[in-house]
Amino acid sequence: MLGWFRERRRRRILREPMPEAWRRIIRENVRHYDKLNRWEQRKLEDDSRVFAATKSWDGGNGVEITDEVKLTIAAQACLMVLGFDDSLDRFHNVRQIVVLESAYSLAIGRERENTRPQFLGQAAMDGLVYLAWDSTRHGGRDPRDGRNLVYHEFAHMLDFDDGLADGTPILRGRDDLKTWVDVMTAEYEQLCQDSHEGRASLLDQYGTTNSAEFFAVATECFFEKAHQLQKRHADLYEVLSAYYGQDPASR
Ligand SMILES: [Zn+2]
């Protein structure tokens, strides 16, 4: 029944053609769009419109929730799940997206002595996702620097879907679990060792924090540095490619 309502709502939202101005926003702020084929672009546009229209949005510190804000976030999130047939259902647990102006804004409201601008974003088990708008827009406009705040926080939401923050989202098949755990554990340990011994790694050292952060960091790298990841961490690339149902290195 719920599926029927959702489908009806989706059809109603997509009844109108995509405004050209919205397509321009996605094209400009989510540069990965240009690498997609026509079918993928159309699916991304549709999913982004539905995501933008159906999620709850809130602007903190005077941030106005404009079409640009919604579509820039929606298109990056929807790009991640483009390879799933039930793409949008993957983010059913995202209850509200709170957009703040910058990392500094996010620090406000935390403990008073904590004034360092260390929080760019946050994803919580209860379905709230906090994003700093400046980093969100920058991340979408630079698709190759290896960092993307939306991929990072929404990877956490995929991870949380089974009720655990353990770096393992709900996989496509039960058979995938052993390979996933083996590869992710080995790659995580390798990153910790590299970090400990002062060796540079393709993956951000923040991934050594725990297995949940490792999955989020690996997801950023998968979409942003696909070629290098495939070359230098072939097993990791392969399990992420199987999970996301995408092969960004081929784009
Ligand atoms: Zn994180």
Side-chain angles (χ1 to χ4, degrees), residues 130-199:
Y130 292 86
L131 297 169
W133 171 237
D134 53 1
S135 299
T136 295
R137 190 168 55 176
H138 176 79
R141 286 183 173 184
D142 186 343
R144 290 189 191 279
D145 66 354
R147 289 167 183 271
N148 184 294
L149 184 62
V150 175
Y151 300 161
H152 185 103
E153 301 307 338
F154 280 80
H156 283 315
M157 294 313 297
L158 293 170
D159 180 18
F160 293 166
D161 199 15
D162 58 1
L164 296 169
D166 61 355
T168 300
I170 296 173
L171 301 173
R172 288 168 186 266
R174 288 178 67 180
D175 297 347
D176 301 341
L177 188 61
K178 191 186 173 321
T179 313
W180 175 277
V181 171
D182 287 351
V183 171
M184 294 302 267
T185 305
E187 293 281 352
Y188 173 66
E189 283 170 358
Q190 183 65 53
L191 183 64
C192 291
Q193 203 177 328
D194 287 346
S195 166
H196 186 68
E197 290 168 14
R199 270 195 303 273

Side-chain angles (χ1 to χ4, degrees), residues 5-42:
F5 276 118
R6 265 206 303 264
E7 189 47 40
R8 219 168 79 130
R9 200 163 175 206
R10 181 184 172 89
R11 277 209 303 270
R12 208 176 49 234
I13 292 164
L14 298 178
R15 202 176 291 152
E16 300 294 319
M18 170 96 167
E20 204 41 55
W22 291 7
R23 189 170 287 121
R24 264 202 306 277
I25 290 169
I26 293 179
R27 194 163 230 146
E28 181 145 328
N29 286 359
V30 186
R31 291 289 163 88
H32 204 110
Y33 174 92
D34 279 335
K35 291 196 256 171
L36 304 175
N37 65 38
R38 189 66 203 112
W39 182 87
E40 291 169 328
Q41 287 179 341
R42 180 60 56 85

